[in-house]
Structures are given as structure tokens and as C-alpha cells.
Amino acid sequence: MQSFLKITGAGGHITEVEIFPTYYPYNRTLAVVLFIKGSRRTEMYGNLTCCLDDAPGRNRAYIDINNMGEDVLEALEEGGFGARTGRQCRSGYVTYPEFEFREDVLKAYAGKDYKMYLKWQDGLKDEEEYISAKCRQCRKNFTFIVKKSAARKFREYEQGARYLIQDIFPEMSAADRGLFARGQNMCGICFRRMFG
């Protein structure tokens, strides 16, 4: 395993970068940021991964080939960082490949963000994922563990599917469901303050 990744840019210029594992607050999935080698994480090169609605599993992420180019996948595999899973997720005009990073590699670069990510992942069952919402009044973020099937339905609901929010999240309290309801997007405390 290499201690850095070699990225080939425009004109064949090679840049050596270090990976830094963290997480996306939106759904607590793995994020990997790249820093110029030797910069002590002060000079950012870019985001290796992208945050999509589909939540990949533990130590998996979608590689941002739109900005990093497809060659980065081969560089990751040759460097011993992990392997492609064969899964893909389409967003807009781009199909992003899923990549599974070796946990020992990520731990070698880990900071407190990656340790928090692992703690959250340990709290999930196989068919669960995190979903977050922000109250439009108090601006606080709230995160819930839901079944992947419910998260999928919710994403369809956001795109206009005719579901009732209580049918998507039947186990969730009415106050918590209000955070996800179209047109409400308000936590229970703010709702009671406004209408109670």
C-alpha cells in the first residue's frame, strides 16, 4: 500500500495527494477528501467522493469521476486503497462507481471524523441507513435511522410521488415526521411554539 495517491491531471501532470476520511452530515456516509502531499492538510486538492442519495455500505463511497476522472479508480486500486464493488449510482448525466476502501487504510489516515463515522456505522443494521432533515424554523439538523426501503420511498416523495408521510415513516412520531413533511419541515418544538 502506498502512503499517497498519484493523480494524473491535465497535460499528464502528476500530483501526489494524501487521503483524509471524514463523513457527509447529510446521511453520515463516508467522504474522502484529498490534500496535497506534505501540506499537513492545509492545501486541499479536492473531494475524491460525492454525496448521493443512495447510501453505500460501511467504508464504501461513490467516486467523483465527474471531477477526478475515471483514471483515479485505477490509481486507487493500484495503490492498494481498495476495490470497485461493481455497483453504480446515476445522478444527472453521470454514473458514479461505488468503491470499497480498506478499513486498515482509512484508519491509517483517520482523525476524529472517521472514528465518529465508524461509531455511527456500528449502530446500523444491514437494511438501515441514516436520513437527516433541517428544521426551517430553528435551523437545527436532526438525524434518524430508518429502513433503506423507507429512505427510498422518501426520496421518491421528494420528487413528487404521492405518498403520505405517515405511510413512509409509520414508526416515527408525528412530531419527527413533521421534519420530513412537504410544506412543513419543522421540528416538534417549533411546531408547538408556532401552533400550540
Side-chain angles (χ1 to χ4, degrees):
M1 176 193 77
Q2 295 177 359
S3 60
F4 55 87
L5 182 64
K6 292 181 180 180
I7 305 277
T8 305
H13 175 73
I14 294 175
T15 304
E16 294 179 345
V17 295
E18 297 175 2
I19 67 168
F20 180 71
T22 183
Y23 59 87
Y24 292 107
Y26 168 69
N27 56 8
R28 294 184 174 179
T29 56
L30 178 66
V32 178
V33 180
L34 301 176
F35 289 93
I36 302 294
K37 183 184 174 197
S39 71
R40 298 179 185 249
R41 295 187 184 142
T42 58
E43 194 177 345
M44 188 172 159
Y45 181 81
N47 292 315
L48 177 63
T49 59
C50 51
C51 185
L52 304 177
D53 281 335
D54 182 54
R58 181 185 177 105
N59 292 323
R60 294 181 176 196
Y62 291 105
I63 303 299
D64 186 3
I65 59 168
N66 191 38
N67 291 303
M68 290 289 152
E70 290 192 34
D71 293 345
V72 75
L73 293 162
E74 198 170 307
L76 285 165
E77 287 175 332
E78 286 176 2
F81 290 91
R84 289 171 255 211
T85 66
R87 285 187 69 227
Q88 298 177 327
C89 186
R90 188 166 181 80
S91 180
Y93 295 106
V94 182
T95 301
Y96 297 94
E98 184 187 64
F99 192 88
E100 183 171 6
F101 290 88
R102 289 177 36 203
E103 190 162 314
D104 62 319
V105 170
L106 294 177
K107 282 183 175 176
Y109 294 95
K112 63 181 180 175
D113 289 352
Y114 181 65
K115 290 174 185 165
M116 181 57 74
Y117 163 80
L118 287 178
K119 183 178 176 183
W120 284 329
Q121 290 300 304
D122 289 340
L124 289 178
K125 294 179 185 152
D126 285 343
E127 284 306 308
E128 293 178 333
E129 68 179 78
Y130 289 101
I131 191 166
S132 296
K134 182 182 262 188
C135 175
R136 67 183 169 113
Q137 291 297 312
C138 66
R139 312 302 290 163
K140 288 183 186 171
N141 277 313
F142 296 84
T143 304
F144 301 87
I145 294 176
V146 299
K147 292 179 180 166
K148 287 188 178 194
S149 57
R152 215 171 296 119
K153 269 188 176 177
F154 177 67
R155 289 189 282 272
E156 292 170 6
Y157 169 82
E158 287 184 305
Q159 298 299 315
R162 294 178 177 234
Y163 295 119
L164 296 174
I165 200 71
Q166 59 265 32
D167 291 338
I168 299 172
F169 302 120
E171 296 90 22
M172 201 179 275
S173 72
D176 289 339
R177 280 196 302 257
L179 281 161
F180 298 97
R182 230 184 262 134
Q184 184 174 329
N185 305 109
M186 198 181 304
C187 71
I189 293 169
C190 290
F191 186 84
R192 284 189 295 278
R193 201 176 289 147
M194 193 172 256
F195 300 105

